[in-house]
Amino acid sequence: MTEQAATDGLARQLRAARRWAGITQEQLAGLSTVSVRAIRDLEQGRVRHPRRETLRLLADAMRLGDARRAALELAVEGAPADTVMREAFGAELAPPPEPLRRLVGRTEELRALTGLLATEHERLLTVVGIAGVGKTRLAQEAALLLHTRDRMPVLWVDMGTAAPAAGSARSPRAALTAWARSLADGGPGLDELASVVRDRAALLVLDGHDAASRPAPQLLELLHSCERLKVLITAREPHRTPGNRLLPLAPLPLPAPEPSSDAATPLPGASLSAGEPAVELMLSYVGHMRPDLLPTDSVVRTVARICHALDGVPRAMESAASWLLLHSLEELLRIARTSPLDLVDDATLSDVNEEGLGAVLAAAVGRMDTAQATLLGDLGALADGWTAEQAAAVLAVPAATVAREVHALMLRGLVRRLPAEAEGASRFGVLNLVRGLAADRAGAAARRPAALVH
């Protein structure tokens, strides 16, 4: 690129940014302390080597977001912004976050997700499930597989973290992420992102997109503009969007329930439980926290019982294992059975600005309407293994209502399907982690009318 071409590129970027801000050259001069003459010379391509400080003042005055700031900086360096952005979104420079741990027990779910992402007709997918169940980790593995196998560029946006401050995006990659985040939240960025993705096969991952009940319309417009783009969302609750494919993610499979709840009762063949995904994962957490606890049959049996009490939810099991610094394995089992929420948050949360799993689960139950919360509380009082028909009969609720609500609760991850008997009806159970929360919410709802009367 010639020096004059670079100068002309900067002039175009600056004019476009000012028009986007909706101000005149005179207004920009007043806001930035840069003279009108200097601004006019920049916009007409008369300045070959502008000072970065001058452009920073102009960008601050126009309140430019990260993406437009990055485009200006690229123009200063003599690089066409659109070309650099597209190169930054190439297969080599756009990988997903590298997983820090191996994926345990999600073979079938991974096969289903990557199979859908590989088809031409599924372009908007949402992995939905209770907090801590492993949605992010599954999405990472699927994105990594597509990136390495198909050389597909991946733009990963962590929607659960705060957006960076204006002006902090100093690279094309950061600018792309800023555009995607803005677009997902209903803001600008559609034209810019579409001009980068164009007709290439690519994957956009919006991890933890929980703020809205459904994706912004701009996201669907992006899919229409980029015909080979796919969007993968992870969320705690389902949303209804045209063309969206929901993939509910249940907790990890658990070993078959024991015939006796007495932890001292020998369980024939219990050592085989070590091969179950939830038990395997929990044993790894226990081994890291307490290397002295060898995986004997007794330890494996106790760990399997803890997994049952914590529903096989990975984040809950990892936090529970951290309490082994204070409790014995048997004490951990007792607490998990009586007060599981006491174990789902470890002590490190007091040092970071992070919402604990207990608070997230409480919020999920709290968002339910009164009828749903009451039914969840009633279902939680039933022994695990009920069918929809049995629940309807015991609770004196129409079978169609129970079926509809159980379906909705499963999508939220609050009810799980239990292993079915051969040729038998599907059986279900409320997660232990939310039983108490549901009972409290249902009780509060039942007491509310009486309080109003008095």
Side-chain angles (χ1 to χ4, degrees), residues 336-420:
R337 283 176 165 171
T338 57
S339 306
L341 291 182
D342 289 348
L343 299 175
V344 300
D345 298 326
D346 60 46
T348 59
L349 286 176
S350 62
D351 300 325
V352 296
N353 185 22
E354 181 180 349
E355 195 173 20
L357 181 57
V360 174
L361 295 177
V365 174
R367 284 192 296 271
M368 302 173 66
D369 61 41
T370 300
Q372 285 179 321
T374 300
L375 180 60
L376 181 63
D378 292 341
L379 292 174
L382 302 178
D384 280 352
W386 45 265
T387 66
E389 292 76 11
Q390 290 171 340
V394 171
L395 302 178
V397 176
T401 299
V402 172
R404 181 178 65 252
E405 294 301 333
V406 169
H407 178 262
L409 291 169
M410 289 186 69
L411 287 178
R412 289 170 175 251
L414 303 176
V415 168
R416 74 180 300 165
R417 182 193 302 275
L418 302 180

Side-chain angles (χ1 to χ4, degrees), residues 36-371:
V36 175
R37 179 177 178 179
I39 294 172
R40 185 179 301 116
D41 288 344
L42 284 168
E43 290 193 2
Q44 293 179 353
R46 296 174 182 167
V47 181
R48 304 245 174 182
H49 301 288
R51 296 176 55 205
R52 285 186 175 274
E53 178 62 19
T54 300
L55 291 178
R56 186 190 66 77
L57 290 171
L58 295 175
D60 289 344
M62 291 184 286
R63 298 180 181 272
L64 296 186
D66 294 333
R68 293 185 181 275
R69 284 176 180 267
L72 270 182
E73 290 192 6
L74 290 168
V76 172
E77 295 169 0
D82 55 350
T83 300
V84 174
M85 290 292 187
R86 283 196 295 274
E87 289 177 353
F89 199 49
E92 293 79 6
L93 298 179
E98 189 70 28
L100 300 180
R101 299 174 180 171
R102 70 185 183 92
L103 187 67
V104 176
R106 295 299 191 186
T107 303
E108 296 303 322
E109 292 91 337
L110 180 62
R111 181 180 296 116
L113 178 56
T114 54
L116 288 170
L117 288 171
T119 66
E120 295 181 2
H121 306 295
E122 299 291 349
R123 301 183 54 216
L124 176 60
L125 299 92
T126 300
V127 177
V128 61
I130 194 171
V133 79
K135 302 180 294 295
T136 296
R137 183 63 188 85
L138 179 64
Q140 278 183 321
E141 197 73 16
L144 185 64
L145 191 147
L146 266 64
H147 178 74
T148 56
R149 183 190 67 189
D150 303 333
R151 293 183 57 77
M152 181 180 289
V154 176
L155 181 56
W156 186 284
V157 184
D158 184 356
M159 300 295 293
T161 59
S168 61
R170 298 301 182 188
S171 69
R173 180 76 174 166
L176 287 169
T177 303
W179 278 331
R181 179 190 291 272
S182 171
L183 185 146
D185 286 335
L190 172 61
D191 293 340
E192 293 88 343
L193 203 55
S195 68
V196 173
V197 178
R198 293 189 176 182
D199 59 351
R200 75 175 69 189
L203 176 65
L204 168 61
V205 181
L206 302 176
D207 183 38
H209 192 24
D210 297 309
S213 59
R214 63 178 59 193
Q218 292 92 322
L219 197 60
L220 297 180
E221 293 182 39
L222 179 67
L223 285 168
H224 289 307
S225 300
C226 305
E227 297 182 352
R228 299 179 66 197
L229 173 68
K230 296 178 186 293
V231 176
L232 175 60
I233 297 173
T234 68
R236 294 170 187 164
E237 297 186 5
H239 54 79
R240 296 298 177 191
T241 302
N244 179 48
R245 171 79 71 170
L246 287 177
L247 286 84
L249 187 62
L252 287 170
L254 295 164
E258 300 176 13
S260 170
S261 60
D262 182 3
T265 301
L267 183 62
S271 60
L272 297 178
S273 297
E276 295 288 345
V279 180
E280 179 186 352
L281 186 61
M282 185 65 181
L283 282 172
S284 71
Y285 295 149
V286 170
H288 295 154
M289 195 60 59
R290 288 283 302 277
D292 58 303
L293 291 176
L294 302 179
T296 63
D297 282 355
S298 175
V299 167
V300 171
R301 282 195 297 269
T302 304
V303 165
R305 290 166 175 143
I306 293 173
C307 290
H308 269 283
L310 299 176
D311 302 304
V313 174
R315 180 174 168 185
M317 296 190 300
E318 183 175 16
S319 293
S322 72
W323 288 99
L324 285 172
L325 294 176
L326 181 65
H327 302 296
S328 69
L329 200 59
E330 290 72 22
E331 289 173 330
L332 201 69
L333 172 60
R334 176 183 57 78
I335 299 171
R337 283 176 165 171
T338 57
S339 306
L341 291 182
D342 289 348
L343 299 175
V344 300
D345 298 326
D346 60 46
T348 59
L349 286 176
S350 62
D351 300 325
V352 296
N353 185 22
E354 181 180 349
E355 195 173 20
L357 181 57
V360 174
L361 295 177
V365 174
R367 284 192 296 271
M368 302 173 66
D369 61 41
T370 300

